[in-house]
Amino acid sequence: MKQFAFVLCALLTSTVLFAQKAPLRRADSFFGLHFDFHANVNDSLVGKTLTEGMIDSLLTAVKPDFIQVDSKGHPGVTSYPTKVSSGTQVKSFAKDPLALFRKVTQKHGVALYVHYSGVYDDAALRKHPEWAVIDASGKPSTQKTSVHGAYVDELMIPQLKEIADYGIDGVWVDGDCWSTVLDYSPLALSKFQQQTGITAVPKSKQDEHYLDFMNFARQSFKNYVGRYTDQLHQYKPSFQVASNWAYSSFMPEPVELNIDFMSGDLTPMNGVNSALFESRVLAAQSRTYKKPWDLMSWSFNTAWNTSNHGPKTALNLSQEAAEVIATGGGYQCYFTQNRDASIRVQQVKTMSELAKFVRARQPYTQGASAVPQIALLYSLASFNKYSTNLYGNGIAEPVKAILTALMDGQNAVEVLAEHHLKGNLAKYPLIIIPEWIYLEPDFLQELKTYAQNGGKLLVIGAEAVKNFSTELGIELNGTPQKQLCWVANNGDLGLVNDLLQKVTLKAGNPGLGNYYVNQDTRFPSGIAASMADLGKGKIAGLYFNFGLSYRNFQSPQLRDFLNGIVKKLFTNPMVEVQGSKLLHVTVNDVKGKLAINLINASGNHNSDKVYTYDELPPLTDLNLRIRLPKKPLRIVQQPENKPLLFVYSNGVASVKVPKVAVHSIVWVEK
């Protein structure tokens, strides 16, 4: 009998193990959690209050597809016991947190990734100052490693291999592209001179070949990422690799490396508008290069380099999540760990509420592709020429604000670079050039040909319009100058304080608005915008820099001035919405179904004085006009599963949505 009981127990155990689900690959994942605490050398008894029950309760309550946990942050100190001789670990361990996280996540079938700081490593440079990047004055960095040095081979790859040996599913490499700077180390300069033949090393933007040196540094960074990615794939083919912000707005290049997924963490302040922009950049890269992507919210708000961490509510985070998943991406949220790697259990409630929100919308958003409507150019040519950093998105601030203004006008917009648009311009009824000064000649000509063949172009910016002055039918009067002025919309004035280009219109071209330097609409000071026919199409220009004025002042008059011009150029969008200016709209195809995402974008998420909020007035009585070739079978508001009455006439389905709390999808079954 004892033998029989033993055999039965063994069979039951093997059945349970066999039934244990395999973790999802990142390509199939939708919702995850990120934890880190950037361990330092003073942390002791790491793992002390982290328990199996704590992790088990978290995974049971939240049911994420994956979690990411700390392994090595920017201080360069591992929160797991490393055996790599050049590594640095915390002062002491009570238990191995990484092993415990792996044990429990494996039981739940949840994928486990690590947060690991790449280029940014303080401890490595204390031990090996020869690994540092060197600036133009000859000073070695105490934080940034050189991508030409031994760091990647002697520390990073060996540590990631030992992490892979835990059975970890992959790595999210932080502190990588955005930490990379120009390197004047002897090895870097030798490679630059050998590869380019340039002997005089440029040290400032004014020096000849400075752009060549920038591009050499960018390629060197990609070589470094490619090296650790390929080495890890060779060591463990199933191990998945992402470099934080690679191929995002920070690095808007064609995807050339064999990374497994793309990812980034949104700004803690104004996360809604940050998500609005970053999600569209990654969505475009994903569609073109077939790489999965996700974005991460910070679960707390903070001013940089302060300890003023204010937890966000699940409601606040849900708005950020909505902007991400509405463009077809995955979503994760960042919660800090305690200094001993344990989880702050009171945060599980927020995690669970957030999980419930995104899971309800997963069937209607995961894998979505945008229906081409408006393309907003994110120019790689201008990025490479004018960005002050090797990789970063400071140059994109005006573009972000223009996108926000367009979305505040209920337009469906994609953010696309030249490598997405070339050969595909005709798919888009309207293409907008937002303050980009430089465009490659072949792409510039392709844009003009697109308009001549019937397309619509909108060029925004005092300097950007110079490339299109002939097509716009304008004469430029002098050079752009900073000007405090106002533009009018329906008699109301909106504030502008940025560069303005004075122009004279050639005969026959209509002006679309004036600017005023005296706040009196009786006395216009000049032309703010105009439109001209161009072959079979049209082109319009805004002769002032719009973006930063909208970001800084959030003027409804500015918003409506821009969107009034958009409506003149794009007269028949697939979806028109009336009822609220606080609504963001995306128009997607999801497995043959039309999915119109309606997101309540109200709330004080754009204020550095408001860290979070717990109430969001619903948007009510929204009227949609949906242009469709035939009458749909039915229209349902999801995830509420509420059928919506509609009238179909002359190719338009007119439907009323009674209420949108945070995020609803108008699901059109054709």
Side-chain angles (χ1 to χ4, degrees):
M1 182 62 72
K2 287 182 180 180
Q3 185 177 6
F4 174 79
F6 174 81
V7 172
L8 180 60
C9 181
L11 285 171
L12 289 171
T13 301
S14 65
T15 301
V16 169
L17 290 172
F18 181 79
Q20 191 178 81
K21 68 173 184 177
L24 294 175
R25 298 281 293 176
R26 200 61 167 233
D28 302 312
S29 298
F30 185 70
F31 174 67
L33 300 171
H34 176 100
F35 300 95
D36 69 48
F37 64 104
H38 292 265
N40 63 55
V41 291
N42 296 317
D43 290 324
S44 60
L45 297 176
V46 169
K48 181 179 179 181
T49 67
L50 178 69
T51 67
E52 184 172 340
M54 175 188 290
I55 304 170
D56 187 84
S57 296
L58 164 73
L59 299 180
T60 299
V62 183
K63 297 180 173 60
D65 295 323
F66 64 89
I67 64 171
Q68 298 177 172
V69 299
D70 192 89
S71 70
K72 176 172 80 77
H74 304 328
V77 177
T78 67
S79 55
Y80 74 94
T82 182
K83 297 176 183 177
V84 178
S85 59
S86 53
T88 302
Q89 64 187 34
V90 297
K91 187 180 293 184
S92 63
F93 291 94
K95 61 175 73 79
D96 183 346
L98 197 53
L100 188 57
F101 274 113
R102 177 69 289 184
K103 176 184 176 182
V104 184
T105 53
Q106 199 162 37
K107 182 177 77 172
H108 283 262
V110 171
L112 179 62
Y113 297 78
V114 294
H115 168 263
Y116 185 98
S117 189
V119 164
Y120 196 148
D121 190 314
D122 297 345
L125 297 182
R126 284 196 297 271
K127 281 189 173 182
H128 293 278
E130 72 277 10
W131 290 355
V133 71
I134 296 175
D135 69 16
S137 69
K139 182 180 179 181
S141 173
T142 59
Q143 296 180 323
K144 313 294 176 58
T145 61
S146 170
V147 297
H148 300 281
Y151 164 78
V152 67
D153 288 321
E154 295 187 17
L155 179 62
M156 185 176 185
I157 292 173
Q159 283 191 332
L160 289 174
K161 284 181 177 179
E162 70 179 359
I163 285 170
D165 289 341
Y166 277 81
I168 304 300
D169 294 283
V171 60
W172 194 87
V173 180
D174 197 4
D176 232 14
C177 74
W178 57 266
S179 290
T180 304
V181 295
L182 288 174
D183 186 3
Y184 291 85
S185 66
L187 184 55
L189 296 183
S190 174
K191 287 183 180 180
F192 172 67
Q193 292 166 339
Q194 182 180 6
Q195 291 177 23
T196 65
I198 298 169
T199 55
V201 178
K203 294 190 176 182
S204 74
K205 288 189 291 185
Q206 288 71 41
D207 292 342
E208 187 181 12
H209 301 303
Y210 187 77
L211 184 57
D212 294 304
F213 194 46
M214 292 271 284
N215 288 333
F216 163 78
R218 288 169 176 143
Q219 184 59 52
S220 298
F221 171 76
K222 288 183 285 187
N223 293 343
Y224 144 85
V225 175
R227 181 165 182 78
Y228 71 67
T229 299
D230 292 344
Q231 289 275 319
L232 291 167
H233 285 158
Q234 184 178 0
Y235 183 74
K236 185 180 179 183
S238 63
F239 195 76
Q240 298 164 85
V241 178
S243 176
N244 182 22
W245 288 125
Y247 299 115
S248 69
S249 69
F250 288 62
M251 184 180 165
E253 304 177 2
V255 179
E256 300 170 342
L257 299 175
N258 193 29
I259 56 171
D260 296 282
F261 61 101
M262 301 176 294
S263 186
D265 53 324
L266 301 168
T267 56
M269 287 277 185
N270 199 13
V272 171
N273 288 331
S274 178
L276 195 69
F277 179 70
E278 303 299 349
S279 63
R280 281 162 174 76
V281 176
L282 286 175
Q285 295 281 55
S286 178
R287 284 194 302 274
T288 302
Y289 299 104
K290 311 305 178 189
K291 297 285 186 184
W293 67 276
D294 61 56
L295 281 170
M296 177 201 303
S297 291
W298 287 34
S299 68
F300 55 94
N301 221 331
T302 184
W304 294 116
N305 300 317
T306 74
S307 298
N308 298 332
H309 290 187
K312 296 178 184 176
T313 63
L315 176 67
N316 191 171
L317 291 168
S318 294
Q319 281 183 291
E320 297 181 22
E323 298 286 7
V324 175
I325 63 176
T327 53
Y331 175 78
Q332 57 173 313
C333 194
Y334 164 38
F335 296 84
T336 53
Q337 292 168 266
N338 291 312
R339 302 311 305 173
D340 71 344
S342 61
I343 297 162
R344 292 166 177 160
V345 294
Q346 82 276 1
Q347 296 175 330
V348 173
K349 179 177 181 290
T350 299
M351 298 174 198
S352 298
E353 291 175 7
L354 187 56
K356 182 179 179 181
F357 177 88
V358 297
R359 291 298 191 195
R361 289 153 181 80
Q362 183 172 355
Y364 315 105
T365 59
Q366 189 174 21
S369 293
V371 175
Q373 294 287 279
I374 297 175
L376 183 68
L377 177 66
Y378 189 32
S379 173
L380 177 59
S382 272
F383 177 95
N384 284 338
K385 192 174 181 69
Y386 295 111
S387 178
T388 55
N389 297 320
L390 290 178
Y391 292 118
N393 63 0
I395 195 173
E397 284 302 309
V399 187
K400 290 183 190 178
I402 290 169
L403 172 66
T404 299
L406 291 166
M407 297 297 295
D408 289 349
Q410 292 69 63
N411 294 293
V413 186
E414 294 176 64
V415 177
L416 304 169
E418 291 93 337
H419 50 276
H420 306 124
L421 280 169
K422 285 180 179 178
N424 295 307
L425 298 181
K427 295 179 181 178
Y428 292 90
L430 174 61
I431 297 173
I432 300 177
I433 315 300
E435 301 188 21
W436 297 117
I437 301 171
Y438 175 74
L439 300 174
E440 295 286 357
D442 60 334
F443 184 64
L444 180 62
Q445 184 55 53
E446 190 175 350
L447 285 168
K448 293 176 180 180
T449 301
Y450 152 83
Q452 289 165 346
N453 290 337
K456 309 296 193 302
L457 278 178
L458 173 55
V459 186
I460 300 172
E463 296 169 290
V465 295
K466 184 177 181 179
N467 288 319
F468 299 89
S469 59
T470 300
E471 290 75 19
L472 285 163
I474 58 172
E475 291 182 7
L476 305 177
N477 301 329
T479 58
Q481 302 293 325
K482 188 165 186 179
Q483 178 69 60
L484 175 66
C485 61
W486 292 261
V487 294
N489 182 76
N490 293 328
D492 294 326
L493 293 176
L495 175 63
V496 175
N497 191 1
D498 209 324
L499 290 181
L500 178 136
Q501 173 65 61
K502 294 180 179 180
V503 303
T504 301
L505 295 183
K506 295 179 181 177
N509 289 336
L512 296 178
N514 298 313
Y515 68 89
Y516 306 81
V517 298
N518 55 4
Q519 293 194 70
D520 191 327
T521 57
R522 293 177 298 166
F523 306 110
S525 304
I527 300 296
S530 69
M531 185 165 64
D533 292 328
L534 183 56
K536 298 177 182 178
K538 292 185 181 297
I539 184 171
L542 263 69
Y543 304 119
F544 59 93
N545 283 5
F546 179 98
L548 295 186
S549 290
Y550 190 71
R551 183 196 68 179
N552 295 338
F553 311 134
Q554 292 286 293
S555 163
Q557 296 89 352
L558 264 187
R559 174 200 66 203
D560 292 345
F561 183 85
L562 173 62
N563 286 296
I565 295 172
V566 168
K567 285 177 171 55
K568 290 180 184 296
L569 290 167
F570 189 20
T571 55
N572 292 304
M574 178 174 280
V575 178
E576 294 178 276
V577 182
Q578 292 183 334
S580 177
K581 296 294 180 68
L582 299 173
L583 190 76
H584 288 169
V585 179
T586 69
V587 181
N588 294 333
D589 179 272
V590 180
K591 298 178 182 177
K593 303 289 194 302
L594 181 64
I596 302 164
N597 289 261
L598 306 177
I599 300 170
N600 183 345
S602 60
N604 289 320
H605 46 78
N606 196 32
S607 172
D608 62 2
K609 306 300 181 187
V610 179
Y611 271 34
T612 194
Y613 41 87
D614 62 355
E615 188 173 350
L616 201 65
L619 305 180
T620 58
D621 298 326
L622 303 170
N623 294 299
L624 277 65
R625 286 170 47 84
I626 310 168
R627 289 181 171 84
L628 297 166
K630 64 178 184 178
K631 183 178 180 180
L633 296 175
R634 65 176 191 148
I635 301 177
V636 184
Q637 183 177 357
Q638 298 290 5
E640 296 87 348
N641 196 29
K642 180 179 181 179
L644 298 172
L645 297 176
F646 66 92
V647 174
Y648 183 79
S649 177
N650 298 321
V652 176
S654 299
V655 59
K656 186 170 187 176
V657 178
K659 184 176 76 171
V660 172
V662 179
H663 176 206
S664 289
I665 301 97
V666 175
W667 188 253
V668 181
E669 298 183 8
K670 304 174 187 178

